[in-house]
Amino acid sequence: MIDLVLLGDVLAGTARLGTPIAFAALGGVIAERGGLYNIGLEGQILAGALGAAAGSFATGSAMIGLGCGIICGLISGLLLGYMSIRLRINQLVGGIALNLLLAGLTAFLSRQIFGAQAGGARVNGFSQINIPFLSDLPVVGPSLFSQDPLFYLLIGLAIAAWFWLMKSHKGLDLRAVGENPKAADLAGVPVFRMQYLAIAVSGALAALAGVQLVLSQVYVFAEGMSAGKGFIALAAIILGRWSPIGAICAALFFGFCDAVQFKLQFTSPEIPYQLFLILPYLASLVALVVLGAKASAPASVGLPYDREHR
Amino acid sequence: MNRFTMQRRIAIALLSALSVGGVLILLDGHNPFEAYKVLFLESFLNYWGFSNTLVKASPMLLAGLAVIIPMRAGVFNIGGEGQIYIGGLFGAVFALAIPNLPGILGVPLIFIAAAAGGAFWAAIPAYLKAYRGTNEVIVTLLMNFIAIHIVSYAVAGPLLAEGAPYPYSEEVSDAYRLPILMPQSDTHAGFVFGLGMTIILYFWLRFTPSGFQLDLVGRNARAAAYAGVDQKKTIIRAMLIGGSLAGLAGAIEVIGLKYRLFHLFSDGYGYDGIVVAFLAALNPIVAPLTALFLAGLSAGAGTMQRAVGVDSSVIEVVEGLVVVFVAAALVTPRTTSISILKLLAKNLRLRRQTQRRKKEA
Amino acid sequence: MDPFLNVTGICKSFGAVRALHNVNLLASKGECIAILGENGAGKTTFASVLIGLYQPDNGEIKLGGAPVSVSSPAKAIEHGIGMIHQHFSLVGAMNAEENILIGLPSTKRGAEARARIRQLCSDFDFNVDFDIRVTEMPVGMKQRVEILKALFRDVSILILDEPTSVLAPTEIAPFLKGVRKLVANGCLVFFISHKLDEIREIADRVMVMRHGRVEGVLPVATTPMAQMSALMMGEKPTSETVGMPKAEKVRNDTSSAPDALVVSDVCLIDPGGAEILQDLTLTVKAGEILGIAGIDGNGQTELSEVITGLKRQTSGAIHLNGTEISSASIASRIADGIGFVPEDRHAEGLVLSLSVEENLAFRSIGDDRFMSGGLISRRAMHEIASDVVAAFDIRPPDPKLNASALSGGNQQKIVLAREVARARNLLVVVQPTKGLDVGATDFVQNQIRAVAQSGVGVLYISTELEHVLDISDRVAVMAFGRITGVVDPENTTLQDIGLLMTAAPEEVK
């Protein structure tokens, strides 16, 4: 007999833990589909978190916090774009550098803004929204239909991103850039403009992960609060086969495994909870080996495009 | 590189990074010159500070070499972190399972076990890359997480020390501990060991056919094939060496510094290794310097905060900026290479040649 | 009335090289014009000017009577000029429809667009599978998608660059049928080719180019093939151009020498199904220079790679000094004393980021002469290199310099010096004089002669016909992956060789 309360708890935990990963993974998908690795997701989450905290701290409005977080994400995305597209710095090195930079910068700025006291300053955030009727359903009601607004935003954005990427003309052009920038260029696609667009959007989506952490979960900025979620998102992209919907599902799977292991630590300490932490990575790896990366990974991801080359 | 020579560009990049950091220090209400003076004096010229720098530089150096060797064969190993964990695990398991050997025998065996662990962890992405064409960046990244959780399981489960308040293993026996080089400090022999590996690898690349051929594959894979070099075997060999080096870094953390296997015992040293390798332009002989530089920055940051009151996070900003600016400084507008690292190596070389020619003229 | 396309006085130089010299052409809609010429005759340069990749130094292009400036490929599309390159630019992971629509303004991508693509397909009898991705398509279908892409963008002038060279034999006939349809629908088609039979089959007129000039624009129906090939080759004396009096040339009598290399019935089929080498058989005797003449892309490079082990033949056997090496590794063939000067010295023959001395050693780094006490002796490497640099007059004479810092001629000397030293039994050279000036060419040729005189068999593959004729004891002509004839360079005319180089597969048998 499955414990329904436990199941409800795990589902709620899945949504809570999976949402930030999902935002970042969605951002990663957009960038990689345009041919750019975004290894800087981790730093961009921090940028979004700081922006949200500062915006909400200064004005008391969570919505303005949201806006500030998105702007910070856009800027950090464009910075990585400048390194990858214009300077053609190795995209992995550029991403690692951005993570170092933003980890330091957000820590520094947060101490300037909020002061150095432990715990930081609490800011106004979002409260959960109960969807009428649905939130009264047993088990799934409290966990899935009484979430904060950013969870619903995530679902909306995922569908919008899927539609834009897979069904719209501009989405087709972006995918062409990620697969074969030369062909796209010859067909009249403005390759560099599309890539800047993709990396900026990617940064903004990653920043939403940070916004969610601050405005929906802990209501305070903490140094290094991204805690590796940007890297986990990179794995979720792979497990999600480079599809927006797939990445969200994969991210929620990561969240689910995390929620399960949290529960297990308390309820069944005899089961090694790390099994559930490893599971999603192992699944990603197996998917990669069994299905092959070539079938789904954009063919030109990570390779800078130079029109005059060859 | 017309007007600005390579060295001048790098110097300008370093100065720019420090200047931006200086502005932040000013904003923080302190004197940047004073802060930097303290930072560098404390991390390199002070006994305790330098000891701290060396302790941090040891795993960074080995992790940097673990990136350099595969990259010289054209393979991007960002799995150093995972290989450190598995290496540390294998070393610790050996040390705890056979605790009664004399140190002279035990320590080398622990090193061998750790190198085997790291190599095993690197063999999987190497095989997938060589024989199935799977992107090594993705695979090594995923395997980092798996390794961290495996170690987490080991220290919380089978290896958990009796009565431990949080996950760590029993201590390794005294005989297995690396000698302390600077009395009263934590400075173990790890950095010296890393220097030894550096010299061996430098000579291997330069003076043995197999090392020379590995380098050939990274520089021009088609020319290497034309010279009869088996690219697949070379990729695997390079990754096995890289994994072993990272595994050794893990062992050094365990038997040199902490004497136990801890949950999350590597503080991102595998990723630091990428920066070390990049700043060293993939030249092993330069890696000790870049490792010391990075280790000095992070070791000195805390002291700077205590002594001058400057926020230590400024140094993280400087580290990020160093990488960004150095990378930017090395890129000419028409660069087409995927890897800026190769470009740097080539440019440094050209620079040396023009100097030599000038001297002769 | 003005002709549809009027090209007058087009000139284009690259540095000192005149790639196009006063090119004039009048063409009308519904015409297929073949462009015929040797390598470097200016065919592709002319096409590149038409589609805006190159800007001409002089001259004018008029479309429908009005002068136009084609400043970029995008501009060319605006003017209705499109080109299908040998290497397609398609997105492998997408289907035909997506590939055709990429980059178009949204107004041109609606449901009508899909209908129009299918309409075009049926208009031209193109067999295109719309349900599969480009990677899963055979080469011929990819090519049809490329053409559809151009047609959908309303091109009225379509340039096809060696379009049949990538096709499997069975795909060629349907392709030519499609081109005829295009022409019948009023398209002006330029068909760059060196295959006379195809030109005869498809083209209305043939524009023959040589050294950047138009030698003639002739109606195909009334011009004999021999005249076309004579125009293409020019009426030049055989071997005086390299500045070596004929009397001094020593031909080796190798009729009684043992066979150094025997290639028997070698076939090579690429993954796309195209037959690169077909039942190829040849013999090189010890001390003999066997020249391989032919137009670029007829399997010569692949032949050299099969012999040296870089590519594995689909079937057939290779013997070196009577020992079978058909499946030996590259390394073991190097050890067997096969020297190889590859076609692309930058991509293959050299490692530009290494020094001259390292480049002289890298293909035989494990040899005793570079080793001392189990380690690479940098001193030995340097000393050997210093000797070579002096003997081959490599400049600047500094073995520690990067190979990238040397001129093309000096770079070629590095490759040649290294391979000559290796070649105990066989030397395979491909395009050894490519891009070299007269002095460097002479030097290279003399070195190769010296190798042969020492008793080593030499396979000399080049598209520079004069150089092949100048150096070879016998000349085999290659076309379409076969040897179409073996001639004596003393007693043969350029016209004969030209016919062998362009002979259709049917005429070969």
Side-chain angles (χ1 to χ4, degrees):
Chain A
M1 182 63 203
I2 299 167
D3 187 338
L4 284 183
V5 178
L6 190 67
L7 184 65
D9 274 3
V10 167
L11 279 183
T14 298
R16 183 170 53 83
L17 297 166
T19 304
I21 300 172
F23 273 122
L26 194 58
V29 167
I30 301 288
E32 291 197 19
R33 282 298 195 142
L36 300 168
Y37 276 124
N38 187 350
I39 303 290
L41 292 172
E42 181 78 3
Q44 290 158 352
I45 295 176
L46 287 174
L50 181 72
S56 180
F57 180 71
T59 65
S61 154
M63 283 312 286
I64 290 180
L66 173 70
C68 291
I70 291 175
I71 290 170
C72 289
L74 284 172
I75 294 171
S76 60
L78 286 172
L79 184 64
L80 184 59
Y82 184 77
M83 288 193 265
S84 310
I85 302 164
R86 181 67 223 282
L87 298 179
R88 290 192 215 105
I89 293 173
N90 180 303
Q91 292 175 14
L92 306 179
V93 172
I96 290 168
L98 186 75
N99 287 337
L100 276 173
L101 181 67
L102 289 177
L105 200 59
T106 51
F108 177 79
L109 291 176
S110 82
R111 289 176 211 181
Q112 301 296 315
I113 297 169
F114 308 114
Q117 77 270 30
R122 276 187 77 81
V123 299
N124 292 331
F126 295 112
S127 47
Q128 61 188 42
I129 296 175
N130 295 323
I131 295 186
F133 308 118
L134 290 176
S135 61
D136 297 332
L137 290 172
V139 185
V140 294
S143 53
L144 297 183
F145 298 107
S146 103
Q147 285 286 340
D148 65 273
L150 292 177
F151 178 75
Y152 305 120
L153 178 67
L154 169 71
I155 304 300
L157 280 177
I159 294 167
W162 177 81
F163 190 83
W164 183 78
L165 200 56
M166 306 312 288
K167 296 291 162 196
S168 84
H169 300 148
K170 283 278 169 272
L172 176 69
D173 289 355
L174 181 71
R175 284 185 288 133
V177 168
E179 291 288 340
N180 185 344
K182 179 122 204 169
D185 196 15
L186 287 174
V189 179
V191 172
F192 300 124
R193 214 188 305 155
M194 292 300 290
Q195 288 195 320
Y196 272 117
L197 176 72
I199 197 77
V201 169
S202 175
L205 286 166
L208 280 174
V211 172
Q212 199 266 358
L213 287 175
V214 170
L215 296 183
S216 302
Q217 289 202 25
V218 295
Y219 307 106
V220 67
F221 177 84
E223 289 168 27
M225 71 189 303
S226 49
K229 291 192 171 59
F231 289 105
I232 297 173
L234 292 173
I237 296 167
I238 300 161
L239 186 60
R241 314 299 292 160
W242 288 268
S243 138
I245 304 286
I248 300 289
C249 295
L252 292 175
F253 177 56
F254 274 87
F256 169 77
C257 290
D258 207 9
V260 169
Q261 66 91 13
F262 263 125
K263 275 281 159 226
L264 279 179
Q265 286 194 47
F266 295 104
T267 58
S268 327
E270 70 281 1
I271 303 174
Y273 64 89
Q274 291 89 354
L275 225 65
F276 281 87
L277 287 172
I278 291 175
L279 187 67
Y281 298 105
L282 206 58
S284 310
L285 197 59
V286 169
L288 200 61
V289 172
V290 174
L291 303 174
K294 277 175 194 146
S296 337
S300 298
V301 66
L303 308 173
Y305 175 57
D306 179 359
R307 180 179 277 168
E308 295 178 17
H309 187 55
R310 274 209 305 170
Chain B
M1 301 292 122
N2 30 28
R3 271 183 63 211
F4 290 92
T5 61
M6 221 57 233
Q7 268 112 341
R8 263 166 79 187
R9 278 179 167 236
I10 292 176
I12 290 171
L14 291 177
L15 282 178
S16 315
L18 290 174
S19 313
V20 176
V23 171
L24 293 181
I25 294 172
L26 262 179
L27 284 177
D28 204 21
H30 299 278
N31 179 349
F33 296 102
E34 178 66 21
Y36 282 135
K37 200 177 96 188
V38 169
L39 175 77
F40 287 105
L41 286 181
E42 286 294 319
S43 42
F44 293 106
L45 296 174
N46 172 294
Y47 184 84
W48 305 109
F50 186 58
S51 154
N52 206 354
T53 301
L54 283 179
V55 166
K56 280 186 192 289
S58 309
M60 283 188 184
L61 171 56
L62 285 166
L65 295 172
V67 175
I68 289 177
I69 297 301
M71 197 72 212
R72 291 289 284 260
V75 187
F76 210 138
N77 177 23
I78 66 168
E81 187 75 355
Q83 292 146 16
I84 288 173
Y85 273 94
I86 298 298
L89 175 66
F90 274 46
V93 166
F94 182 91
L96 296 172
I98 310 173
N100 298 322
L101 295 173
I104 192 90
L105 194 63
V107 171
L109 285 175
I110 290 169
F111 276 175
I112 289 171
F120 158 66
W121 212 239
I124 297 165
Y127 170 81
L128 291 172
K129 163 89 176 170
Y131 291 97
R132 310 205 32 178
T134 316
N135 186 332
E136 76 276 17
V137 171
I138 298 175
V139 178
T140 49
L141 182 74
L142 289 174
M143 292 187 63
N144 285 345
F145 294 103
I146 297 176
I148 290 171
H149 293 311
I150 287 176
V151 168
S152 158
Y153 163 71
V155 295
L159 295 182
L160 182 67
E162 217 166 298
Y166 51 97
Y168 56 67
S169 72
E170 298 284 357
E171 283 202 345
V172 299
S173 63
D174 286 350
Y176 295 161
R177 298 181 182 181
L178 290 183
I180 296 293
L181 295 185
M182 292 163 66
Q184 322 249 296
S185 76
D186 284 339
T187 316
H188 50 76
F191 193 77
V192 175
F193 179 77
L195 279 179
M197 295 309 289
T198 301
I199 292 166
I200 290 172
L201 289 168
Y202 173 78
F203 276 90
W204 179 65
L205 283 177
R206 201 169 156 74
F207 293 106
T208 68
S210 57
F212 187 87
Q213 289 177 338
L214 179 136
D215 194 33
L216 216 51
V217 170
R219 283 176 190 272
N220 183 341
R222 278 183 65 190
Y226 158 73
V229 181
D230 186 328
Q231 196 179 353
K232 293 183 166 66
K233 280 188 192 146
T234 307
I235 286 174
I236 289 186
R237 178 183 296 148
M239 277 297 278
L240 290 182
I241 293 171
S244 308
L245 290 163
L248 288 169
I252 279 172
E253 284 297 281
V254 173
I255 63 170
L257 185 64
K258 307 198 163 132
Y259 307 134
R260 299 175 190 272
L261 189 66
F262 275 85
H263 172 52
L264 294 178
F265 72 87
S266 166
D267 186 17
Y269 288 128
Y271 300 105
D272 291 338
I274 299 171
V275 179
V276 168
F278 165 72
L279 292 179
L282 299 183
N283 187 348
I285 215 80
V286 186
L289 289 179
T290 58
L292 280 175
F293 175 70
L294 279 180
L297 278 185
S298 65
T303 331
M304 185 180 80
Q305 179 161 8
R306 281 191 298 278
V308 191
V310 174
D311 204 307
S312 61
S313 57
V314 168
I315 296 309
E316 273 183 79
V317 179
V318 172
E319 281 175 23
L321 287 173
V322 164
V323 181
V324 174
F325 287 166
V326 169
L330 300 174
V331 188
T332 53
R334 282 187 49 85
T335 307
T336 55
S337 167
I338 308 169
S339 157
I340 191 60
L341 308 172
K342 287 180 198 166
L343 186 89
L344 174 56
K346 190 177 128 190
N347 280 322
L348 282 175
R349 216 182 161 107
L350 269 175
R351 164 81 184 145
R352 277 209 302 274
Q353 281 166 358
T354 39
Q355 276 177 336
R356 191 178 302 122
R357 255 182 294 171
K358 264 186 211 151
K359 229 181 285 168
E360 283 170 4
Chain C
M1 196 191 110
D2 282 315
F4 177 58
L5 173 71
N6 185 350
V7 175
T8 42
I10 296 280
C11 296
K12 177 71 187 171
S13 300
F14 297 103
V17 183
R18 292 199 125 177
L20 289 178
H21 190 79
N22 195 26
V23 173
N24 299 303
L25 181 72
L26 296 176
S28 46
K29 283 190 168 187
E31 192 176 25
C32 179
I33 300 180
I35 305 181
L36 176 71
E38 275 191 289
N39 300 49
K43 297 170 292 187
T44 310
T45 313
F46 176 62
S48 300
V49 166
L50 280 185
I51 64 151
L53 274 177
Y54 297 149
Q55 296 310 305
D57 305 330
N58 267 315
E60 191 180 45
I61 301 170
K62 280 186 187 173
L63 267 179
V68 292
S69 151
V70 191
S71 54
S72 70
K75 264 268 167 0
I77 291 280
E78 270 177 43
H79 291 302
I81 307 172
M83 177 163 176
I84 313 292
H85 296 268
Q86 265 179 295
H87 302 286
F88 308 138
S89 46
L90 295 171
V91 179
M94 295 182 179
N95 63 28
E97 207 171 77
E98 290 172 323
N99 264 290
I100 292 166
L101 295 178
I102 291 168
L104 289 172
S106 292
T107 47
K108 283 193 174 179
R109 295 203 204 179
E112 336 60 278
R114 283 143 212 273
R116 208 184 133 216
I117 291 171
R118 282 170 177 74
Q119 186 60 42
L120 281 171
C121 244
S122 66
D123 284 354
F124 292 100
D125 255 344
F126 277 1
N127 167 24
V128 171
D129 186 341
F130 284 95
D131 296 325
I132 59 175
R133 297 184 299 177
V134 165
T135 35
E136 295 153 16
M137 293 180 180
V139 188
M141 194 182 289
K142 289 182 189 167
Q143 193 172 47
R144 291 192 285 278
V145 174
E146 276 279 24
I147 295 174
L148 279 174
K149 208 165 128 186
L151 291 175
F152 191 82
R153 285 162 169 77
D154 294 315
V155 298
S156 44
I157 300 178
L158 186 62
I159 305 162
L160 302 165
D161 188 8
E162 307 260 2
T164 55
S165 62
V166 292
L167 296 181
T170 49
E171 291 174 318
I172 291 177
F175 167 74
L176 292 178
K177 209 175 113 201
V179 173
R180 260 194 297 276
K181 275 264 189 187
L182 283 175
V183 175
N185 276 273
C187 206
L188 167 58
V189 173
F190 285 99
F191 192 99
I192 301 177
S193 178
H194 59 261
K195 299 183 186 173
L196 288 179
D197 65 321
E198 280 174 15
I199 289 176
R200 169 137 283 175
E201 199 180 330
I202 193 82
D204 303 303
R205 291 192 292 159
V206 56
M207 168 168 145
V208 187
M209 296 189 72
R210 210 174 90 77
H211 294 344
R213 292 168 192 270
V214 178
E215 295 288 310
V217 184
L218 311 160
V220 170
T222 56
T223 309
M225 282 204 194
Q227 192 187 341
M228 290 183 205
S229 100
L231 269 179
M232 175 178 91
M233 307 301 293
E235 318 244 347
K236 56 201 168 191
T238 314
S239 59
E240 313 242 307
T241 40
V242 286
M244 176 167 287
K246 238 180 177 166
E248 274 183 31
K249 200 161 21 180
V250 187
R251 301 273 179 202
N252 301 325
D253 180 17
T254 52
S255 48
S256 58
D259 293 343
L261 172 76
V262 179
V263 174
S264 10
D265 300 321
V266 162
C267 292
L268 179 70
I269 297 170
D270 80 359
E275 296 174 295
I276 308 295
L277 298 175
Q278 306 180 47
D279 292 327
L280 193 137
T281 297
L282 61 80
T283 302
V284 182
K285 290 185 174 293
E288 178 194 40
I289 302 180
L290 175 68
I292 302 269
I295 291 169
D296 214 8
N298 277 278
Q300 298 99 314
T301 309
E302 288 81 358
L303 173 64
S304 73
E305 291 176 343
V306 163
I307 292 170
T308 52
L310 282 167
K311 277 209 171 80
R312 192 54 51 86
Q313 67 276 15
T314 314
S315 64
I318 300 162
H319 288 81
L320 181 72
N321 290 347
T323 312
E324 176 153 8
I325 57 163
S326 307
S327 53
S329 69
I330 301 167
S332 97
R333 294 187 212 206
I334 294 174
D336 284 344
I338 299 183
F340 178 30
V341 177
E343 179 175 8
D344 189 338
R345 54 180 168 259
H346 284 178
E348 234 169 357
L350 294 169
V351 180
L352 293 176
S353 63
L354 288 179
S355 65
V356 170
E357 60 187 39
E358 287 166 321
N359 269 291
L360 282 166
F362 84 75
R363 204 159 177 258
S364 30
I365 192 69
D367 276 14
D368 287 343
R369 58 202 170 105
F370 294 118
M371 303 286 285
S372 139
L375 292 175
I376 295 172
S377 164
R378 292 271 161 180
R379 182 190 289 172
M381 197 189 266
H382 185 72
E383 280 166 4
I384 291 169
S386 299
D387 292 347
V388 170
V389 164
F392 278 70
D393 191 25
I394 292 171
R395 287 181 217 188
D398 177 2
K400 295 221 179 282
L401 217 56
N402 259 359
S404 59
L406 272 61
S407 70
N410 284 295
Q411 289 176 339
Q412 188 69 328
K413 283 181 182 175
I414 301 175
V415 180
L416 192 72
R418 181 184 66 216
E419 297 311 316
V420 162
R422 282 229 61 81
R424 293 191 317 277
N425 292 315
L426 178 70
L427 178 65
V428 179
V429 294
V430 186
Q431 306 279 29
T433 56
K434 194 175 179 180
L436 303 191
D437 61 24
V438 177
T441 299
D442 277 351
F443 182 87
V444 166
Q445 299 288 79
N446 286 332
Q447 288 295 330
I448 295 172
R449 274 193 200 95
V451 170
Q453 252 138 39
S454 72
V456 173
V458 176
L459 188 67
Y460 185 104
I461 300 174
S462 178
T463 54
E464 315 252 359
L465 189 52
E466 296 136 53
H467 299 164
V468 176
L469 291 173
D470 171 53
I471 199 169
S472 305
D473 299 312
R474 288 184 300 144
V475 173
V477 182
M478 234 177 125
F480 319 110
R482 301 169 184 227
I483 303 288
T484 50
V486 181
V487 298
D488 175 358
E490 302 285 302
N491 308 310
T492 192
T493 63
L494 284 171
Q495 284 72 12
D496 291 344
I497 292 179
L499 269 180
L500 286 171
M501 289 192 330
T502 50
E506 294 76 42
E507 293 171 38
V508 172
K509 285 177 194 156

